[in-house]
Amino acid sequence: MPKRKTSDKDYQDITKDIDLIALQSNIQMYFSKFPDPRSSGKIVYPAWYIILILLCGYLSGCNTIADIAHFAEIRTEWFGSLFRVNFKSISYDTIWWFLVRVKPEAFKRLMTEWLKALPSCMQNQLLSIDGKRLRGVSNNEHITHLVELFATESRLVIAQERVPDKRCERKALPRLLESVNVSGAIISMDAHYLYRKELQWILNAGADFLVGIKGNQGTLASETQNYFTQARAIDYGDEEFQCYETVEKGHGRIETRHICISHNLDWLPNNEEWGFKTLVEVCSKREINGHVQNGTLYYGLSREATAEECARWIRSHWLIENGCHWVMDVIFKEDAQLANAGYAAENTSLLRRTCMNIIKTFDPQRGFADARRSAMYNPSYLKGLLSRMFA
């Protein structure tokens, strides 16, 4: 019988060395410029106090505004002692109205300012762009569709924008690029972004792009497919091609990927406008319980790279699905949320992602569900996360 783990050094470290005076001072300073839409003469609970309750609630396993209001009621004395205030228990209506009325740009600025304080280097970092619809607050008349910029290595959401629906995702690209310095990074996208203007925005921001090539650009897709079909016919025998193969086994399936690249693009019409320096072909073969599925995808890259690098970047692009969207839906129950009045849906989505970033940054070895349980059952752990966030 395996020995049960009895101690966790990282857990113990987070609960130690908490400077309460510095924490209280930093929190007040951090939120000092937060725009509060409420009438100043009627404010009982300052904006910083409500935001901290929201952050603490989401960190501690709450998934709805009602959950957070109940959590705040139970922890009223704890909040009072931690932040040296003497407030009565905050009501559901106060939290709800705050989320409905505050413009999301205020929460975006908070996220951006906090991320700036983290040590980071965008050089060769892969930033994935993908959209997600909040299904619980979306119907035929009202849609909340988010486009996110996700750092696949650190697993952090670094920017988010709302668009009318999935068809408009690329309209969020300039705002995403303006919100963070992406110089030196590689921005990966699906074929929805395969337009010259969008690709040029990325190059102008000092980054490179990795983009899928499909039928929305018919001539480009046909030329690329024909080029690699001819290469396949000679078994990629020409020296202009580099190939790399990966094999993954697990969960009853075997997946083989054959990646082939070329830097010789003089033949490609209008390539000076597209800006490609590498074309990539990915041939995949998936075997599941005796059934075989084959597929071929094509990509364009704005820098020269090896086949192995391209394979890693293309595979990493989809980390946004299980590193962010899966976490939001399964751990934070995002698709079950129904608060859609005013700015509530977008604001709560930003707060959930901020909490995900906090856990991933300061306790990266712990699962999100485990971290949220720890924050709920042990206030010292929650206090430790806050002290590190506002250090």
Side-chain angles (χ1 to χ4, degrees), residues 6 119 124 181 263 285 316:
T6 57
N124 298 321
N181 181 9
H263 301 141
K285 178 182 178 183
S316 296

Side-chain angles (χ1 to χ4, degrees), residues 72-89:
E73 181 181 4
I74 294 172
R75 292 281 182 90
T76 298
E77 292 185 8
W78 183 80
F79 281 116
S81 63
L82 182 62
F83 304 120
R84 293 187 298 179
V85 294
N86 188 26
F87 294 136
K88 294 181 180 179
S89 177

